[in-house]
Amino acid sequence: MTNFCNLCIDDFVFCFIKMEKGDQGKEDSRDRISELTDEILFLILSFLTLKEVANICFLSRRLKILWPHIVALNFDASNTLGELRRNGRLRKKKRTWYINWVNHVLESHKGSTLNEFRVCFDLDWTCRHDIDRWFCFAISKRVRKLELDFEEVAEETWPPGLRSYSLTKSCFNYIRTPQGLSCIGLLDSLCLRFVKVSGEVLEHFLLHCPLLEKLVVEWSKNLVTLNVASSSPLRLRYLEIRSCLALQNLEISAPNLQSFLYYGQKVELHIENAPLLTDVLIGGNLDDEPAFAFCPLSGYLCQLKTLTLEMSAYNMTFPNFPELTNLRHLAVSAYGGYDDDLLVLTSLIDASPSLNKLSLELNIWRSSTYNHAHNTSNVTGKPIPSLKVVEVIGFRGFKIDVDFLAYLLEHGKVMEKITINCCHPSWAGQILEFETIKERERARKHALQLKSKSPSTTEFVII
């Protein structure tokens, strides 16, 4: 069967409706889409965004009939959010447009179930009546994947989320009714970003959603305690908690958990019964002391295959690691001054004999405003036996990155490829990269100096 997800709208139209002259010079205006089966038409619709569906429905009588029964409602408005980031004065107008769009689609929808319901826009508590209706609508359709993301992209206050939508008592009461309980039973993914939600509500979902495999909570001001456990073994495989500033206590007992991502301040963290845990992210802001999480995780470090750190270079103080025998990939997203020190990471590298890949993303300031507590005398200079691939984004040619890469080149014994991208991570891959040519050329010069010191067997790529 044709892979429709690889077709753009123009390809779709070209393949199924020919409005131009055929081989015999005759015009063929048949509605070829309507000749397809319902199964194929629903497959086609499942790969299109709601905007794309609206754009092609005029092409076919049967598409007009079938689209209200689609099972994926993804209200993606990425382009409009981009406009809001550039001009916050458009917020009121664009909010009205988005709310009307969602309401119109929901009024037209005739399906009995939903595989996906996603709303992602700059909305806050003033929109609560509409959001309440959307939430209850999705639940009533026995939704499998539910995502509410209300980041206020046009808001410049700190911390963000002060005016966030709060899941109301009426919504919580609904999912506790017999009808609501039966409807949430099929939920397998729940993502709440910039939604104020309590631990009581989240624990209700964990208790009554036996198929739930993914839980994401980000910038929830109301989350204070969360117990990720259940009387029956949780199916949960992926847990992500980010920037929940009021969180004090997090307890996890999840025998199927494979990925755990935590970004935030120091909390009481307890983890038990996580035999399948292999992927961990630990991160936080300058005052968050994110390295605290390594102690609660100590019993599981030896089974990790991927470890990601998102923190300041100033905060990279680690305990004495047990050997991370299975760690294959270490990803570090660090921010700091050009005179900060990343050699503290060598203790982690020394404890990872099977490390195969190191990814480094750098957000470097002009200079550090903090006194350095790291002691580089602890650097052992041990050989790095398995590291083959190193990728760096945000290389600037300062002490923080040059010293660290020079160390890897000196001690890496089987290095196969090093890729250095001199573009700032915020702009990497974009058409417009807001950096001066002088800054880029300076970084490239230092990268070339490192390249001259690399073994001839190592592929060295500079971007």
Side-chain angles (χ1 to χ4, degrees):
M1 184 179 292
T2 303
N3 188 357
F4 291 104
C5 64
N6 292 327
L7 297 177
C8 66
I9 295 300
D10 291 339
D11 295 328
F12 176 81
V13 175
F14 179 77
C15 288
F16 295 106
I17 292 190
K18 296 181 179 179
M19 297 299 293
E20 300 177 357
K21 291 184 178 180
D23 294 336
Q24 283 74 38
K26 297 180 180 180
E27 187 174 285
D28 182 1
S29 59
R30 281 188 299 160
D31 180 359
R32 295 180 180 273
I33 295 179
S34 292
E35 297 175 6
L36 300 174
T37 64
D38 286 356
E39 181 183 9
I40 293 178
L41 288 177
F42 275 123
L43 177 64
I44 294 169
L45 291 173
S46 70
F47 287 118
L48 303 178
T49 67
L50 285 172
K51 288 184 179 180
E52 290 171 338
V53 170
N55 288 337
I56 68 166
C57 276
F58 75 93
L59 298 174
S60 166
R61 160 183 59 82
R62 286 185 58 224
L63 280 179
K64 289 181 181 179
I65 296 173
L66 290 177
W67 89 259
H69 298 271
I70 59 177
V71 294
L73 296 179
N74 182 353
F75 294 93
D76 180 78
S78 302
N79 292 337
T80 306
L81 285 173
E83 291 182 51
L84 281 183
R85 284 189 173 91
R86 295 187 292 271
N87 185 0
R89 291 175 294 181
L90 296 173
R91 173 190 278 178
K92 184 176 180 180
K93 177 182 177 181
K94 297 301 183 181
R95 275 185 176 177
T96 300
W97 163 80
Y98 188 85
I99 290 171
N100 289 340
W101 175 38
V102 177
N103 286 338
H104 173 72
V105 172
L106 299 196
E107 289 169 4
S108 304
H109 193 266
K110 298 178 182 178
S112 58
T113 60
L114 283 176
N115 287 340
E116 177 186 12
F117 184 85
R118 177 178 181 264
V119 286
C120 178
F121 204 72
D122 183 326
L123 304 175
D124 60 21
W125 67 273
T126 62
C127 312
R128 61 189 179 279
H129 299 299
D130 289 293
I131 297 173
D132 283 356
R133 287 198 300 271
W134 302 345
F135 176 84
C136 293
F137 171 88
I139 295 298
S140 70
K141 299 289 185 177
R142 302 178 185 275
V143 65
R144 293 180 179 272
K145 292 178 174 59
L146 176 60
E147 180 175 350
L148 306 179
D149 185 346
F150 302 130
E151 180 182 1
E152 296 179 78
V153 299
E155 192 67 49
E156 296 182 354
T157 58
W158 183 265
L162 295 177
R163 293 167 51 86
S164 292
Y165 164 79
S166 178
L167 194 70
T168 61
K169 186 176 180 180
S170 61
C171 290
F172 187 29
N173 287 339
Y174 174 62
I175 61 175
R176 290 192 293 182
T177 64
Q179 179 186 1
L181 287 171
S182 67
C183 288
I184 64 175
L186 295 179
L187 191 69
D188 61 38
S189 176
L190 176 63
C191 300
L192 302 174
R193 297 184 173 92
F194 294 87
V195 175
K196 295 177 181 176
V197 62
S198 68
E200 182 184 11
V201 173
L202 295 175
E203 289 168 15
H204 179 81
F205 278 108
L206 289 166
L207 180 62
H208 296 284
C209 301
L211 302 181
L212 190 65
E213 294 187 352
K214 180 177 181 179
L215 176 62
V216 177
V217 185
E218 184 174 351
W219 285 110
S220 176
K221 189 181 177 183
N222 291 5
L223 185 60
V224 179
T225 63
L226 178 61
N227 185 10
V228 182
S230 175
S231 54
S232 57
L234 290 177
R235 193 167 175 172
L236 194 69
R237 299 176 185 272
Y238 182 99
L239 174 64
E240 181 174 355
I241 308 293
R242 281 185 177 267
S243 302
C244 296
L245 303 183
L247 186 64
Q248 298 176 7
N249 187 281
L250 176 59
E251 298 187 17
I252 301 171
S253 176
N256 292 299
L257 189 66
Q258 297 175 4
S259 299
F260 172 54
L261 291 75
Y262 179 82
Y263 186 99
Q265 75 281 5
K266 185 176 181 179
V267 298
E268 288 292 328
L269 176 62
H270 304 279
I271 303 176
E272 60 180 29
N273 193 21
L276 301 182
L277 186 61
T278 57
D279 177 18
V280 166
L281 179 148
I282 299 298
N285 291 320
L286 188 62
D287 299 322
D288 288 339
E289 301 179 24
F292 83 91
F294 286 111
C295 290
L297 283 164
S298 59
Y300 303 96
L301 293 177
C302 63
Q303 65 192 48
L304 298 186
K305 294 182 179 179
T306 302
L307 175 61
T308 302
L309 305 177
E310 294 183 2
M311 59 184 70
S312 73
Y314 178 78
N315 259 350
M316 286 187 183
T317 53
F318 304 121
N320 292 324
F321 284 101
E323 193 167 85
L324 284 73
T325 50
N326 289 299
L327 191 66
R328 301 292 190 272
H329 184 197
L330 174 62
V332 180
S333 178
Y335 55 94
Y338 63 71
D339 51 350
D340 272 320
D341 188 3
L342 287 178
L343 290 174
V344 66
L345 288 171
T346 59
S347 63
L348 181 52
I349 294 173
D350 288 343
S352 308
S354 301
L355 186 65
N356 180 265
K357 181 178 180 180
L358 173 62
S359 303
L360 184 62
E361 181 180 286
L362 297 171
N363 293 272
I364 300 176
W365 306 320
R366 286 294 181 185
S367 64
S368 177
T369 56
Y370 294 86
N371 294 322
H372 304 289
H374 303 323
N375 184 358
T376 55
S377 64
N378 292 329
V379 176
T380 63
K382 292 180 179 179
I384 307 174
S386 301
L387 185 61
K388 295 181 179 181
V389 179
V390 175
E391 297 175 349
V392 182
I393 297 178
F395 180 84
R396 309 311 288 154
F398 293 129
K399 177 182 182 297
I400 185 174
D401 46 15
V402 170
D403 286 359
F404 183 64
L405 284 174
Y407 180 89
L408 296 181
L409 283 171
E410 180 182 356
H411 299 284
K413 299 305 179 182
V414 292
M415 198 80 71
E416 294 179 355
K417 184 175 182 179
I418 297 178
T419 303
I420 294 182
N421 190 330
C422 299
C423 180
H424 191 280
S426 300
W427 308 115
Q430 299 191 26
I431 297 176
L432 295 176
E433 296 179 352
F434 293 88
E435 296 177 291
T436 66
I437 295 177
K438 185 177 179 180
E439 288 176 328
R440 293 290 298 277
E441 288 304 314
R442 181 188 180 280
R444 286 181 60 84
K445 178 181 177 181
H446 284 279
L448 287 169
Q449 290 175 356
L450 286 170
K451 182 177 181 179
S452 67
K453 300 176 182 178
S454 65
S456 58
T457 56
T458 301
E459 181 183 0
F460 205 109
V461 180
I462 302 174
I463 301 174

